Amino acid sequence: MTDFILSLKDVSYRYPDGTSALNDCSLTIRRGMRTAVLGANGAGKTTMFLHLNGILRSSTGHVRWEETPLDYSRDGMRKLRSRVGLVFQNPDSQLFSASVREDVSFGPMNLGLPKKIVRERVEKALLAVGMAESADKPVHNLSYGQKKRVCIAGVLAMRPEVLVLDEPMAGLDAAMQEELTVVLEHLHAAGMTIIIATHDLDFAYGWADEAIVLQRGRLLAQGNVAEVLLKPDVQTELGSSPIVAEITSSLALTGMAVRVNGYLPRSRSELLKAISEFHRQENEQ
Amino acid sequence: MLTEQSAYTNRWRQISPVAKGFVSICGMVAAFAAGSPRTALLVALILSLATVLGANIPPVRYLRVAAPALFFLLASGLSLLASLDFSYNSTFGLSLHLAESELPRIFQVCCRSLACLTALLFLALTTPLTDIISLMRRCKLPETLLDLMTLSYRTLFVLSEAVHETVTAQSARLGYASLTLSLRSLGGLVANLAVQVWQRSQALHLAALARGNDGALRFLEPDYPDSPRAISCAVISGVLLVVLAVYLP
Ligand SMILES: Nc1ncnc2c1ncn2[C@@H]1O[C@H](COP(=O)(O)OP(=O)(O)O)[C@@H](O)[C@H]1O
Ligand SMILES: [Mg+2]
């Protein structure tokens, strides 16, 4: 089994109106990892995602699933789309039915599965995103965050190997973001490869294993999230660095080398834990 | 959205839509079979009482939902009754003519329409539209029609939200402060909505592709647990209703 599950090689894409959205973009997605895709507005994140799922097809270069270039035939696409689940940014433009349960059944029904299996998958997917109690509600009575979770359930019900989410945290309040992070954590623990486009550096730093930074349709940097986000050119492109990393390094300048379990803290809670751990050790000495 | 609210919260929400649809159709058959206005009114009374008492819909809400239709019924009844007369022998050459001889027939038509209305309300107030659509799907109605219904129904809410947001934004900038401004804002609203509809249809198309769609929209039909009992109840009461309408003078 290869380490890379999906990759782009020299992919360029121009929209019909002439906008060049991807320019010789090459990147790789590693199996089982949490990958954050960062980049300014218009950097090409959404366009790149549409290539992963075979909705857009570039004239040059190619997209590969493991070792093989994508098969754009009808059957090939059905197979790819059952493996790569794509959740768009705006929930209102991807929910078809006014009934939650019916909408979640849309994907698995498209796969041509028997009704009994579809029913099972729908219930499991709704449970996984914590929407089982709202299954009989009409979609238009749900909150924005609940609609987002229904969208994710709709994709999970297709049992993809890779889950691709376009700015899932946009428009969610802190509590809803926390709930969604828990859902994603469960999916990751179950072995799913997850790719998220985000503007939120702090979220990416705390959540992801890998980071991909796009700049005007090109790959700027790719690799371990901690290394990538601390590169000077990435910081210039994104305009800042993760606040937790900044605090950690300024603490280090004052002589406080804070660590959690021997690692640099990545999130707010880890940072707080690391600081109190540091003080505890100071007091012991 | 009073109908919506009732459809999702009434006591018969969990009863199979097949059962409710059957009673509703029997109600319409009974309305047409009713030989006299009195029988039609009786059918209407039974159906509306069943909806209000059986499904536990507040009577006031029932009347509010029925009001627009009742108004149209009244208006069309009156317009049938009064007809313009173009005959030359009247003094003005044009006169209002009351069709008194037609009165019983018009009354009969109105009563039947009323009974039909209550039969429709029986279904509409107890069954969410998604259930009605999946019922129609089971009846093998054309896919295209049903897909259109599904998407229009969903789009209705998305667009009403968009209208609401646009109007709020326009009002916040005094867009409706005067008549001329209102007209301009209204034009802006329409233009903006047209663009939104177009963009949304693009987005929906992409989302359908992403979820493996390549043709008709397919959904899982809801599963109703107590179907056999509900259906036998529905068959008995529906048939009784028709028999009543046919045999009552
Ligand atoms: N449907 C479209 N038609 C024309 N240009 C588009 C379309 N969608 C995106 N673009 C353009 O392509 C570029 C990349 O956009 P996108 O992939 O949406 O970036 P991101 O998701 O990173 O914000 C932008 O310059 C954007 O304006
Ligand atoms: Mg985007």
Side-chain angles (χ1 to χ4, degrees):
Chain A
M1 198 158 70
T2 43
D3 188 23
F4 299 136
I5 194 162
L6 277 166
S7 55
L8 265 68
K9 178 94 180 96
D10 298 330
V11 171
S12 299
Y13 187 81
R14 211 177 258 282
Y15 278 101
D17 70 348
T19 317
S20 159
L22 290 179
N23 278 315
D24 284 334
C25 184
S26 302
L27 51 86
T28 49
I29 307 289
R30 292 172 61 194
R31 185 186 292 278
M33 292 279 164
R34 292 165 291 195
T35 306
V37 178
L38 296 139
N41 266 326
K45 303 181 292 291
T46 303
T47 310
M48 194 267 274
F49 282 177
L50 293 172
H51 278 84
L52 293 181
N53 190 274
I55 288 176
L56 293 183
R57 181 179 186 176
S58 73
S59 41
T60 61
H62 36 235
V63 182
R64 291 173 197 265
W65 172 268
E66 290 172 353
E67 295 296 316
T68 40
L70 295 191
D71 163 13
Y72 288 90
S73 70
R74 207 183 169 92
D75 281 343
M77 279 300 108
R78 177 172 304 164
K79 202 162 174 192
L80 178 72
R81 286 167 189 161
S82 68
R83 284 169 154 175
V84 182
L86 176 54
V87 181
F88 293 84
Q89 186 175 351
N90 181 358
D92 271 325
S93 59
Q94 54 192 313
L95 295 173
F96 293 91
S97 172
S99 135
V100 169
R101 192 176 268 125
E102 249 185 55
D103 191 87
V104 175
S105 75
F106 183 68
M109 288 297 278
N110 285 333
L111 296 180
L113 298 167
K115 288 198 177 153
K116 190 164 156 285
I117 294 183
V118 174
R119 213 173 286 278
E120 252 174 50
R121 285 191 174 195
V122 168
E123 299 307 320
K124 283 224 175 100
L126 285 170
L127 264 180
V129 298
M131 287 293 293
E133 315 89 72
S134 310
D136 290 313
K137 279 199 185 168
V139 166
H140 46 265
N141 286 355
L142 300 181
S143 73
Y144 188 79
Q146 288 176 319
K147 281 184 195 166
K148 277 222 149 146
R149 283 195 269 163
V150 173
C151 294
I152 296 177
V155 167
L156 288 183
M158 297 174 79
R159 302 267 162 97
E161 290 170 53
V162 184
L163 180 65
V164 186
L165 302 136
D166 199 354
E167 315 219 4
M169 300 299 178
L172 297 189
D173 64 29
M176 291 197 289
Q177 290 194 6
E178 187 51 40
E179 284 168 19
L180 187 54
T181 314
V182 172
V183 171
L184 294 178
E185 225 27 62
H186 282 300
L187 295 174
H188 169 68
M192 194 174 278
T193 308
I194 306 178
I195 312 173
I196 288 187
T198 178
H199 288 295
D200 188 342
L201 275 179
D202 297 313
F203 167 75
Y205 192 65
W207 174 80
D209 307 304
E210 297 262 305
I212 288 175
V213 184
L214 296 181
Q215 180 186 40
R216 276 171 272 122
R218 264 177 223 282
L219 181 74
L220 180 67
Q222 149 148 47
N224 178 287
V225 67
E227 287 165 19
V228 167
L229 291 187
L230 298 179
K231 283 186 181 173
D233 53 344
V234 169
Q235 295 193 349
T236 335
E237 172 65 18
L238 300 179
S240 72
S241 53
I243 183 82
V244 171
E246 280 182 13
I247 294 176
T248 311
S249 60
S250 42
L251 285 178
L253 289 180
T254 67
M256 274 177 77
V258 294
R259 297 282 183 279
V260 265
N261 311 324
Y263 295 98
L264 289 173
R266 292 276 203 85
S267 64
R268 205 180 120 115
S269 57
E270 279 184 1
L271 177 63
L272 294 176
K273 211 163 104 191
I275 292 176
S276 61
E277 179 74 5
F278 183 85
H279 283 303
R280 204 176 49 79
Q281 284 176 1
E282 288 275 280
N283 291 341
E284 276 173 10
Q285 282 166 12
Chain B
M1 295 288 119
L2 283 173
T3 323
E4 270 284 304
Q5 211 176 335
S6 303
Y8 278 99
T9 56
N10 73 88
R11 192 190 288 156
W12 288 345
R13 166 79 172 85
Q14 293 304 329
I15 288 184
S16 160
V18 179
K20 291 181 283 194
F22 183 79
V23 172
S24 172
I25 287 177
C26 286
M28 279 184 243
V29 171
F32 282 109
S36 66
R38 212 184 39 177
T39 317
L41 283 182
L42 184 66
V43 169
L45 188 70
I46 293 174
L47 283 168
S48 51
L49 282 182
T51 317
V52 170
L53 301 178
N56 204 10
I57 309 255
V60 177
R61 183 185 295 169
Y62 189 86
L63 286 178
R64 276 179 62 190
V65 171
L70 287 177
F71 174 76
F72 277 112
L73 188 59
L74 192 69
S76 46
L78 285 179
S79 68
L80 276 178
L81 195 60
S83 54
L84 284 177
D85 192 354
F86 291 97
S87 53
Y88 288 109
N89 48 11
S90 85
T91 24
F92 301 104
L94 190 72
S95 72
L96 203 63
H97 172 77
L98 275 190
E100 279 151 48
S101 57
E102 292 290 294
L103 198 59
R105 263 200 34 214
I106 293 170
F107 189 54
Q108 165 85 326
V109 167
C110 286
C111 291
R112 278 184 177 167
S113 312
L114 187 67
C116 275
L117 174 67
T118 55
L120 266 183
L121 284 181
F122 177 87
L123 185 63
L125 286 172
T126 59
T127 318
L129 195 68
T130 52
D131 285 5
I132 299 181
I133 293 176
S134 64
L135 178 63
M136 292 164 84
R137 202 180 295 277
R138 255 202 262 178
C139 297
K140 299 276 176 283
L141 261 75
E143 286 285 336
T144 323
L145 180 74
L146 298 175
D147 291 350
L148 271 177
M149 283 180 71
T150 309
L151 289 181
S152 323
Y153 179 57
R154 171 89 189 103
T155 312
L156 194 68
F157 292 96
V158 171
L159 281 185
S160 75
E161 210 160 278
V163 169
H164 185 76
E165 277 169 17
T166 314
V167 169
T168 312
Q170 286 177 330
S171 317
R173 288 182 286 156
L174 299 181
Y176 293 93
S178 73
L179 187 65
T180 30
L181 282 177
S182 297
L183 279 178
R184 266 181 63 161
S185 300
L186 198 63
L189 175 68
V190 171
N192 177 285
L193 271 188
V195 174
Q196 288 211 26
V197 168
W198 184 76
Q199 284 180 339
R200 202 164 289 280
S201 64
Q202 289 286 97
L204 268 180
H205 175 64
L206 284 192
L209 282 181
R211 287 167 74 180
N213 186 259
D214 50 12
L217 302 178
R218 280 166 295 227
F219 300 104
L220 193 63
E221 286 123 24
D223 193 20
Y224 286 89
D226 62 345
S227 284
R229 216 188 101 224
I231 287 177
S232 39
C233 276
V235 168
I236 294 171
S237 48
V239 168
L240 272 181
L241 198 61
V242 175
V243 168
L244 181 88
V246 170
Y247 286 97
L248 226 62

